Amino acid sequence: MEKKCLSDLPRVAVEYIDSVIKAMKYRRNVRIEVRQELIDHFADALADCKTNDEKQKLAEELIAEFGDVKLLGTLLRRAKKRCRPLWRTMVARAFQLVGVLFVLLVLYIGWFFSGKPVITTNYLEVLNRQVRPVADDSQNAWPFYKQAVEKYVQYEANEEREKFDFRNPSTLSTEERGFVQKSISGNQQSLDLIRQGNQRPYYWPVYDVQEGQNPELIAISIPHLKEYRRLAELLCWQGLLSAEAGRLDKAFQEVLESYSFGKHLRGQHTMLIEQLVAIALEAMSTKTLRIVLSEYGEHIDAAILEAARKRFEAEIADEDFTADFDGEKLFIYDEIQRSFTQSRIGKSHLYIKRLEQNVPALAFGAQGKLVKHWFRILFTHPGKEETLKMSEEFYSAIKANAGKTPAEIKLLGTETKADKIEKEIFNDNIFLGLLMPAFNAVISRTYRNRIDSEATLTVLAILEYQKQKGVLPENLNVLVEDGLLKEIPIDPFSDKPLVYKKTDGGFTLYSVGLNFMDDGGTRSKDSHDRPALWGEGGDAVFWPVTDS
Amino acid sequence: MKFERELLKGVAPVVVLEILSRGKMYGYELSEALEQRSRGILTLGRGTLYPLLYNLEAKGLIAAEWEESKSARKRRYYSITSSGKAELAAKKEQWMALQQGVNLVFGLGSLSPA
């Protein structure tokens, strides 16, 4: 029927109708309907025309009455839109909304990924200023230690390190003894440099990055830490071998050189990793001291013991065992300025490129844990200012924690402020969560370090007393009264004096250890069920010394 | 007679409803009927007719349905709905009042006694 009508209509009418329908720009089925209606209208109007000329003329008049194609198309579209059912309107609106949101999202992502950090502070320079005391270069131990590292020769393979666990040298196999002796004699120059460095009143490293790298703290190379540890081990082994050879005065000297080396490495406001190495070196030295005392104590005369005690006492008297987070703080600040975009319109946000480059792959994982956090990173992650504020708060809370003994913190019963902030950080701030070290663990380690040194000094004092009097002291007060100890060490895990008990074979001296409970001197064990000084459960027994 | 566009705009829907209240019609028929009934005084621009019909349909005042006409062709017939009737009654009342007011202003008549 429509075909017939169309063929009856003048070409000009058909073209007009088609143009109007095209201008409608609406759903196809609606346009078909409207087109039919218009065709009908024209067909009805022209029905009475007798000639084609008449039809043509009337059609042109009708077209003039219908008016402008575009306007009519628009009016028809608008009117038809109003006719659609509510659900269709809602679907259309929903699609429009999704479209708008998508466009906004694309714009936002464009804005997000075009942001770049602006570097305002050279924290490498700040760190170098911070670690340097008011002293001239000749007072710095660092150049000596640096040279010692440069001259260090490693003889054993990395996997053979276990052979060097400190113990009675008589238990060394011929091969192991060969290794130890070769390592010591081959590194005499380095060991001498360490001794020379120990004579300097200060230690401040000069931090730098490799040539061509940006001066950023994440790139500073501290490659010498492993060698520091090896050299300290050699000093300790030298001490053990001297003790075995009956040179006990020399033995104490060597081991205490190792301790001085560790103490020196703490420096002031250094990086946390260096402080942890310093702690490890000190713990290694005190352990060796106790082994020497345990294995060769019978042969040590009172004068040598007294000299060793006095030197060790002087060594730890001015030692600040507290963890220092100032170096680490600068590291976080530097990383914040490099990992957040500068505030522009809206807030600053994480700079993904930096995170991908410099946050270790293991943090995000090969499977892209970053993707898992995309929503948080894109929309809700705290910006630069909030992150700075959060880290400031955390550092001041952690500093307060560092002044409290583990027993005090435990006594508080509830979460400390630092714990709360730490939890908040791990919930809200991916950046800080990844970069903040486990501060509480570090703090606990510094207290272990302190009591380890004080307990070793106490052992020296007890043995000296025994040498002098021929009997063991009844209690630790006696040592203070006799001037062998300045004060009784307080166990930071109980906030009570270290536990000293006379036993059938001698005496026991221990801290209640990480479980805060007095287990009667039962040694704690490590995850392999071997006796360990600071293992799970049990006490941290400093004396008697185990075989392990 | 040509009317001002704005003047016609308010009248057109009422007039269309009035015509449809007398029976269903298709677009062309409606435009012809309007012209005849108003004796040629009122004519809807063809460009206005269909948008107006679709708007009235969207408001639910008229309904449309494809039906076969007398000429055996399918036409889209428009008929007034019940809400259209109610609307028409209300508009008519307003219109009468307006007409009376305008007449009074023009001095063409007076208020009839209650």
Side-chain angles (χ1 to χ4, degrees), chain A residues 508-525:
Chain A
T508 181
L509 183 75
Y510 63 87
S511 148
V512 298
L514 300 180
N515 66 357
F516 302 95
M517 282 161 53
D518 188 341
D519 297 292
T522 308
R523 284 179 202 281
S524 60
K525 290 181 175 173

Side-chain angles (χ1 to χ4, degrees), chain A residues 128 131-133 135-143 202-206 264 267-268 270:
Chain A
N128 278 323
V131 297
R132 182 172 181 149
D136 64 69
D137 287 347
S138 66
Q139 293 179 299
N140 188 5
W142 183 69
Y202 301 107
Y203 164 82
W204 71 88
V206 179
H264 236 35
Q268 66 169 21
T270 49

Side-chain angles (χ1 to χ4, degrees), chain A residues 7 13 61 67 94 128 203 206 225 274 287 305 431 541:
Chain A
S7 63
E61 280 173 24
N128 278 323
Y203 164 82
V206 179
L225 295 179
E274 290 171 290
K287 182 182 174 185
L305 270 179
F431 171 81
V541 181

Side-chain angles (χ1 to χ4, degrees), chain A residues 258-358:
Chain A
S258 167
Y259 190 91
S260 297
F261 181 32
K263 183 186 156 189
H264 236 35
L265 288 181
R266 285 178 184 277
Q268 66 169 21
H269 315 309
T270 49
M271 302 298 281
L272 212 48
I273 181 79
E274 290 171 290
Q275 294 175 51
L276 288 170
V277 168
I279 287 173
L281 261 55
E282 288 183 351
M284 179 197 301
S285 311
T286 52
K287 182 182 174 185
T288 311
L289 266 182
R290 292 195 299 271
I291 291 172
V292 170
L293 291 169
S294 171
E295 299 293 331
Y296 309 102
E298 286 173 22
H299 313 294
I300 309 173
D301 66 50
I304 292 175
L305 270 179
E306 186 185 358
R309 176 185 56 81
K310 283 188 171 165
R311 180 173 169 193
F312 191 47
E313 193 175 56
E315 200 73 63
I316 66 172
D318 63 342
E319 189 168 359
D320 182 4
F321 291 95
T322 320
D324 185 312
F325 300 108
D326 289 352
E328 215 57 30
K329 204 166 154 181
L330 292 185
F331 167 74
I332 296 287
Y333 286 174
D334 191 30
E335 221 29 54
I336 287 175
Q337 76 166 344
R338 292 171 192 280
S339 302
F340 285 86
T341 60
Q342 185 70 355
S343 304
R344 297 179 293 164
I345 313 160
K347 63 171 191 173
S348 63
H349 57 77
L350 275 172
Y351 181 49
I352 301 295
K353 213 171 160 188
R354 173 80 182 178
L355 280 188
E356 283 175 347
Q357 271 172 4
N358 284 330

Side-chain angles (χ1 to χ4, degrees), chain A residues 42-85:
Chain A
F42 272 79
D44 287 334
L46 305 180
D48 296 334
C49 295
K50 294 197 169 64
T51 64
N52 281 341
D53 286 349
E54 234 181 296
K55 271 186 183 177
Q56 177 76 18
K57 201 181 160 202
L58 193 54
E60 281 168 6
E61 280 173 24
L62 259 178
I63 288 168
E65 273 183 38
F66 268 102
D68 181 62
V69 169
K70 265 194 175 175
L71 179 66
L72 181 58
T74 309
L75 290 173
L76 288 169
R77 182 177 67 246
R78 282 184 193 160
K80 275 294 180 188
K81 264 189 179 176
R82 288 186 196 116
C83 289
R84 67 186 171 192

